[in-house]
Amino acid sequence: MIELREMPFDPWQYLAERQVSQGVEARSGAAAIFVGTMRDFNEGDTVQEMYLEHYPGMTEHQLETLAASALKEWSLDDVLIVHRVGRVIPTQPIVLVAVWSAHRAEAFDACRHLMETLKHSAPFWKRETLIDNSVRWVASNTPG
């Protein structure tokens, strides 16, 4: 499942609902979960908000392709990717990546691969508003 959201979300609620709806609680021995939240600093500056732009249609397709690729490469029971778009403020979750598998090694590997690939190839653009109200585009992602 892939979802882009403009409004804040509770990643733990998503996980609980997904586990029940897909029945992965009973068949999966492992879940690997990554929740990325917005921090209030970047490149040595205080950041008061960020705006995440995306290319509708293309972004969802890219994330769906990424999830399908992970399902083929690893023996996974399910994949979930939820990503914010629009205005985000510090402490709010930006991204949730979760995978379920019979075994932890595949779950860990797939979750990390999904997150790293998403960060470096999904069509998102980040515009930060700093504490002094100046605005800048984020040129690159932090290393994983």
Side-chain angles (χ1 to χ4, degrees):
M1 176 183 147
I2 306 302
E3 184 177 343
L4 297 182
R5 292 184 49 92
E6 289 191 29
M7 299 303 295
F9 68 96
D10 177 353
W12 312 113
Q13 180 180 347
Y14 262 88
L15 290 168
E17 291 171 0
R18 186 69 178 182
Q19 284 187 170
V20 171
S21 72
Q22 297 301 307
V24 293
E25 291 177 302
R27 70 179 186 266
S28 299
I33 299 153
F34 177 84
V35 177
T37 58
M38 186 185 160
R39 59 184 186 271
D40 66 354
F41 67 93
N42 190 31
E43 298 179 14
D45 296 312
T46 301
V47 179
Q48 65 178 333
E49 73 177 36
M50 180 169 54
Y51 192 86
L52 285 153
E53 291 192 15
H54 73 292
Y55 192 95
M58 178 192 287
T59 305
E60 292 89 343
H61 177 72
Q62 178 82 23
L63 296 178
E64 288 167 3
T65 300
L66 179 60
S69 174
L71 287 165
K72 288 180 185 175
E73 186 169 341
W74 291 278
S75 180
L76 304 176
D77 297 324
D78 196 19
V79 172
L80 173 64
I81 300 173
V82 180
H83 205 293
R84 284 289 303 279
V85 294
R87 181 178 179 265
V88 183
I89 60 173
T91 74
Q92 289 181 336
I94 297 172
V95 62
L96 164 63
V97 173
V99 299
W100 290 265
S101 180
H103 303 287
R104 70 182 176 275
E106 289 191 309
F108 281 138
D109 291 347
C111 187
R112 180 168 186 111
H113 171 79
L114 284 165
M115 190 60 228
E116 295 301 327
T117 305
L118 182 157
K119 287 290 284 183
H120 295 287
S121 67
F124 291 104
W125 298 272
K126 300 174 186 176
R127 186 181 69 224
E128 295 175 327
T129 301
L130 305 180
I131 197 72
D132 65 1
N133 286 321
S134 63
V135 175
R136 70 179 177 201
W137 290 95
V138 176
S140 63
N141 286 306
T142 54

